[in-house]
Amino acid sequence: MTTWVFEGTVLPAGDSARLTFGQDPSGEQLPGRYAVPGLVDSHCHLTFDATVNGPVLRGEDFAADRLAELAGAGVSALRDVGGNRDVTLRLARDADDGRPLVLAAGRFLAPAGAYFPQAYEPVAPEDLLAAVEAEIADGATWLKLVGDFPEVGPDGPIRGSKISPTYDLELVAAMVDLAHSRNARVAAHVNTDHVTGLIQAGIDSVEHGTALTERDLEALGARGGAWTPTLSASVSPSPNETAEQKARREGRSAYLASVLPLAERYGVRVLTGSDVVGTVAGEIDMLVKHGLSVEQAITAASTGAQDFLGLTGTGNLVTYEADPRDHPDVLARPAAVVLSNRRIR
């Protein structure tokens, strides 16, 4: 196996370094003068396909294509937060040096009428704890709780309908306690002020979190929790949006720009997540546009996420010709990618 050598500046710390990937200390030089020790996609759906008839779950081939796309973009690890459990949990169990490391939550946990109809199997409240046990037994290290959701009709969520909590908070607290007792953690989809109760119930990371307040951040940060704002999904323009929808989106964007810079103050770990519509590079750009420094945004997509998810980043590197701190757009154009000491780009 060829040994690869990088000499240059390693971000986000900005230290000068000479890194060797392989056994030969001389090795072959990697292109690029700036590098990050592997990007992390902390909110990803490898099997979730947004079709004209609504989101559906796909199989192994779809996930393989998605993994190849992520690897080429410099993603060394990802957290799959809901999908086809037969595929994602197997990927989590069976490590492969030729693709990003997968941490998986397995299935979406939501009751009937509280998620996209074709993308999940409902879990009744009385079955929630047993479902959690089953996911963990099959290799889930995270659980994906759908904490709130709009009203759902035959074709999916009803636009403009009220967003309501899915499970009683006492049950959520029991779920969190069970997950923690099995060394698993809970990520919660939530877009309303129900996030306050979910944080009190003990969830480990807030996904989307468009209604998070400063007090919520204080409570979440007090125990080292995380927030994956998925800005590409939350505030990007949608095709054919009405003037009213545009105004709501812009208001949401302005609000998030006012609270995101507070996360570090309270010890909340901000993470980058592509969801279904974005990329890690695009999410870094969106975080900067919503108040984070470039260094903070790169940390959210690399060493910060690795630390929160219990990863080392060892053996991984993505390099760039220009300095991403001065030219963030270069993050979408890696010069080279090394995964598990193998150059794949």
Side-chain angles (χ1 to χ4, degrees), residues 250-271:
E250 291 178 344
R252 187 162 58 245
S253 177
Y255 179 74
L256 289 169
S258 73
V259 294
L260 262 166
L262 302 177
E264 183 171 325
R265 176 192 304 176
Y266 291 111
V268 173
R269 180 73 73 185
V270 175
L271 307 173

Side-chain angles (χ1 to χ4, degrees), residues 48-126:
F48 199 88
D49 187 12
T51 73
V52 294
N53 296 316
V56 298
L57 297 184
R58 301 298 190 190
E60 292 185 11
D61 290 345
F62 187 91
D65 289 344
R66 185 81 177 100
L67 282 167
E69 176 186 357
L70 289 163
V75 173
S76 62
L78 64 95
R79 181 179 59 158
D80 186 286
V81 284
N84 181 340
R85 69 183 304 278
D86 294 336
V87 174
T88 61
L89 291 178
R90 180 185 58 77
L91 290 169
R93 290 192 302 266
D94 303 332
D96 183 338
D97 289 345
R99 60 163 171 80
L101 175 72
V102 176
L103 306 177
R107 68 194 292 190
F108 293 99
L109 299 172
Y115 202 58
F116 297 102
Q118 300 179 79
Y120 84 119
E121 180 182 351
V123 180
E126 61 270 22

